Amino acid sequence: MRNSCVERRRRRNFWSRRRRLAISTSSKCQSPAGSAEAAVPVAAELALQGLGGEGEPQSPWGRLFEELDSNKDGRVDVHELRQGLARLGGGDPDRGAQQGISPEGDTDPESGFNLEEFTRYLQEREQRLLLMFHSLDRNQDGHIDVSEIQQSFRALGISISLEQAEKILHSMDRDGTMTIDWQEWRDHFLLHSLENVEDVLYFWKHSTVLDIGECLTVPDEFSKQEKLTGMWWKQLVAGAVAGAVSRTGTAPLDRLKVFMQVHASKTNRLNILGGLRSMIQEGGILSLWRGNGINVLKIAPESAIKFMAYEQIKHAIRGRQETLQVQERFVAGSLAGATAQTIIYPMEVLKTRLTLRRTGQYKGLLDCALRILEQEGPRAFYRGYLPNVLGIIPYAGIDLAVYETLKNHWLQQYSQESANPGILVLLACGTISSTCGQIASYPLALVRTRMQAQASIEGSPQLSMMSLLRHILSQEGVWGLYRGIAPNFMKVIPAVSISYVVYENMKQALGVTSR
């Protein structure tokens, strides 16, 4: 009981100190239309107070620094900050105690920072928070209410209920008015890991890290901060490595899918076990990985092209606004996907030919490309291009729609106090939505694969997209358009699991900050 009372007293003292500091700071910027510049002289004044005397801290920031500096060495390192915030009840030490911990300069966050650096960091942080507050205070009345929270989420592509908005507001409202003023906003975020309201939505970004071997996903979005710090390219690299490991791990199922798409029919009744047995008998165990090399090789250029195209299309649609709404993401993502597919499509054709090759048919990737060029001409590298590009529309549309529906359902029904749904919910939403997108686009993917492979199969007629669709429907019925979908489903869960684990480890290795 005594420890509990002491803990509550510490928390009250902590918030009291932060409140007094907020009041003194906001006294010069009480106008709701005030600018971030108004905070600069206030911050400078507090800095002088904190560094006054014989180096002893006098300001609330200085006293807070003293309390966080547990070993009294004149510096606060990441470990001390995390322990101090956990003890005092400020921020979220597990998720972001070291994110953006140091101000501009050469300070090393691992070695900690002194009082001057600590004060400068809080000054800069306060200026950013004031800009954020005014951007959310849409009617400029000095308070953020429930409707403004809903509008902010809606502008970022998420529709939340009144009840959900009230939960978010309640987490910051400390005087019971059901509005957030500048002091409450500042108190809540000053030592919190979140940089802006978009960080709340970070958990809900439909990340393409869930690599299931398909190339039709809408590109991920990166915040302005991620672009400025260079985190975006590290995340792309981490995603590419995760995709490479994931595709290599599930390559036998991917080759089986392509094998069944091309060779399975009503007459031969080729199934999963029969397909695996046939491939192993023809080329041994290692033959199950045929075509995996180029499947991995095309990840990096496709991701880079898709990202650059997406950024340009996004700016054309919404100017410089960082986040698109769902329907705008669909349009931009589909166009970016079409751009990337147009450029790297010859690699798709090579992947299919190498996946289906017989033992000794080609010496390697270059030999395969030269033979296609000599025997079939340049146009062969774009066989199946039309159904492939058309497949982007149902895949991206249904993928995003299902993801948004599942996400909003979870927010409405199960979110209590946190915007973080947890990794299991995210993985489930991403897996289900991607699977639904695959089901919708699978007939076009099958037609594309058959068109890519037609010339390499002796006696196979060279049919157009519509002719091939009619042929499949007349000979095998609707089910014929879904040949090979079983091994495709079988690889989803292991592919998602492998890609997520590798992605998280790669992020740590590359120093990508996890929020």
Side-chain angles (χ1 to χ4, degrees):
M1 179 66 72
R2 187 176 181 327
N3 290 338
S4 177
C5 292
V6 170
E7 180 65 23
R8 284 198 297 272
R9 191 178 305 114
R10 279 178 176 171
R11 289 175 179 268
R12 282 198 302 271
N13 290 340
F14 173 76
W15 286 112
S16 176
R17 286 194 298 274
R18 289 177 69 176
R19 173 69 60 146
R20 287 197 300 273
L21 176 59
I23 292 172
S24 66
T25 305
S26 62
S27 61
K28 297 188 180 182
C29 54
Q30 287 178 352
S31 170
S35 64
E37 286 78 3
V40 177
V42 180
E45 181 182 329
L46 286 172
L48 290 173
Q49 292 175 8
L51 298 172
E54 298 179 356
E56 293 187 10
Q58 300 297 325
S59 73
W61 288 347
R63 289 193 293 273
L64 177 59
F65 179 87
E66 262 198 345
E67 195 152 353
L68 293 174
D69 183 17
S70 57
N71 61 5
K72 305 304 177 187
D73 65 348
R75 299 189 74 82
V76 173
D77 58 27
V78 171
H79 180 67
E80 287 175 323
L81 184 64
R82 285 185 170 183
Q83 283 190 330
L85 294 184
R87 184 176 68 252
L88 297 171
D92 188 347
D94 291 329
R95 285 183 44 245
Q98 64 186 26
Q99 179 181 342
I101 192 173
S102 61
E104 298 290 338
D106 298 325
T107 304
D108 179 11
E110 294 299 326
S111 65
F113 42 17
N114 59 29
L115 174 58
E116 181 181 1
E117 293 162 346
F118 182 73
T119 303
R120 189 163 69 250
Y121 165 70
L122 293 182
Q123 293 168 14
E124 295 166 357
R125 181 108 179 106
E126 183 185 56
Q127 293 173 42
R128 291 197 301 271
L129 288 175
L130 189 58
L131 282 173
M132 294 174 208
F133 180 82
H134 288 312
S135 70
L136 292 176
D137 181 17
R138 294 172 180 267
N139 60 7
Q140 297 297 295
D141 66 350
H143 295 83
I144 299 172
D145 57 27
V146 172
S147 65
E148 287 169 327
I149 289 178
Q150 284 183 298
Q151 289 175 46
S152 299
F153 271 73
R154 197 176 300 118
L156 294 170
I158 287 186
S159 177
I160 62 173
S161 67
L162 181 64
E163 181 184 4
Q164 185 63 35
E166 287 175 349
K167 288 178 182 177
I168 294 171
L169 185 142
H170 182 68
S171 68
M172 291 180 263
D173 177 28
R174 299 198 169 273
D175 57 10
T177 60
M178 288 307 291
T179 61
I180 306 166
D181 59 22
W182 158 242
Q183 291 119 333
E184 289 170 326
W185 175 265
R186 183 184 176 283
D187 281 354
H188 186 79
F189 286 111
L190 185 62
L191 290 176
H192 200 286
S193 60
L194 297 182
E195 285 294 318
N196 52 46
V197 73
E198 290 186 28
D199 282 356
V200 176
L201 306 183
Y202 173 81
F203 303 113
W204 286 117
K205 286 170 68 175
H206 191 178
S207 179
T208 55
V209 66
L210 304 180
D211 189 290
I212 56 176
E214 301 299 323
C215 306
L216 308 177
T217 50
V218 173
D220 204 354
E221 290 188 70
F222 298 101
S223 67
K224 185 177 180 181
Q225 184 68 17
E226 287 170 326
K227 293 172 189 172
L228 289 174
T229 58
M231 286 297 174
W232 66 272
W233 71 262
K234 292 184 179 181
Q235 291 188 48
L236 285 179
V237 170
V241 173
V245 176
S246 170
R247 294 184 188 194
T248 301
T250 59
L253 289 170
D254 190 62
R255 189 185 181 216
L256 178 61
K257 176 194 75 173
V258 175
F259 192 81
M260 292 180 69
Q261 282 178 333
V262 175
H263 296 298
S265 65
K266 271 187 175 181
T267 55
N268 63 25
R269 297 185 179 277
L270 184 66
N271 56 24
I272 292 173
L273 290 177
L276 287 171
R277 191 182 303 114
S278 176
M279 290 188 295
I280 292 172
Q281 286 175 350
E282 193 276 330
I285 292 291
L286 289 180
S287 69
L288 297 178
W289 275 266
R290 282 179 185 168
N292 181 61
I294 192 166
N295 196 30
V296 167
L297 193 64
K298 67 187 177 71
I299 294 174
E302 183 180 33
S303 298
I305 294 167
K306 193 186 291 185
F307 168 71
M308 290 186 289
Y310 186 72
E311 288 297 305
Q312 296 301 315
I313 296 166
K314 183 176 73 172
H315 289 157
I317 294 175
R318 293 296 295 271
R320 295 192 174 275
Q321 182 163 325
E322 286 299 314
T323 308
L324 302 181
Q325 295 184 16
V326 178
Q327 62 272 24
E328 292 167 333
R329 286 199 71 200
F330 165 65
V331 173
S334 297
L335 292 174
T339 303
Q341 285 291 295
T342 300
I343 296 172
I344 64 99
Y345 192 75
M347 299 178 77
E348 293 280 356
V349 175
L350 288 170
K351 181 247 180 183
T352 298
R353 294 293 183 91
L354 290 169
T355 298
L356 293 171
R357 78 182 187 272
R358 299 181 303 278
T359 301
Q361 185 175 1
Y362 302 117
K363 295 178 183 178
L365 175 61
L366 185 60
D367 181 54
C368 178
L370 289 174
R371 287 204 193 182
I372 293 173
L373 187 62
E374 290 173 1
Q375 297 171 12
E376 305 169 46
R379 292 185 62 183
F381 289 105
Y382 278 87
R383 283 210 176 97
Y385 171 77
L386 181 58
N388 186 69
V389 171
L390 291 177
I392 293 174
I393 297 173
Y395 187 101
I398 291 176
D399 185 25
L400 279 176
V402 172
Y403 190 86
E404 291 298 313
T405 301
L406 292 174
K407 173 195 67 179
N408 287 330
H409 177 73
W410 191 92
L411 269 174
Q412 305 287 357
Q413 299 295 322
Y414 303 108
S415 177
Q416 298 300 322
E417 297 179 356
S418 173
N420 184 357
I423 186 56
L424 289 179
V425 175
L426 284 180
L427 288 177
C429 289
T431 302
I432 293 170
S433 63
S434 296
T435 303
C436 291
Q438 283 189 84
I439 293 172
S441 64
Y442 194 84
L444 287 167
L446 181 137
V447 170
R448 172 204 66 193
T449 303
R450 289 214 181 169
M451 291 180 70
Q452 290 171 342
Q454 278 178 149
S456 65
I457 302 173
E458 292 183 10
S460 176
Q462 305 299 299
L463 302 176
S464 65
M465 181 181 77
M466 294 307 299
S467 298
L468 189 54
L469 273 171
R470 284 194 294 267
H471 175 75
I472 294 172
L473 288 171
S474 64
Q475 297 296 316
E476 305 178 50
V478 175
W479 174 243
L481 295 173
Y482 286 90
R483 297 284 181 195
I485 199 169
N488 202 50
F489 284 158
M490 289 170 63
K491 74 173 185 175
V492 169
I493 292 178
V496 167
S497 304
I498 294 170
S499 61
Y500 176 76
V501 171
V502 175
Y503 180 71
E504 288 300 311
N505 281 279
M506 279 301 300
K507 282 205 305 180
Q508 291 182 16
L510 293 170
V512 177
T513 305
S514 293
R515 291 182 234 193

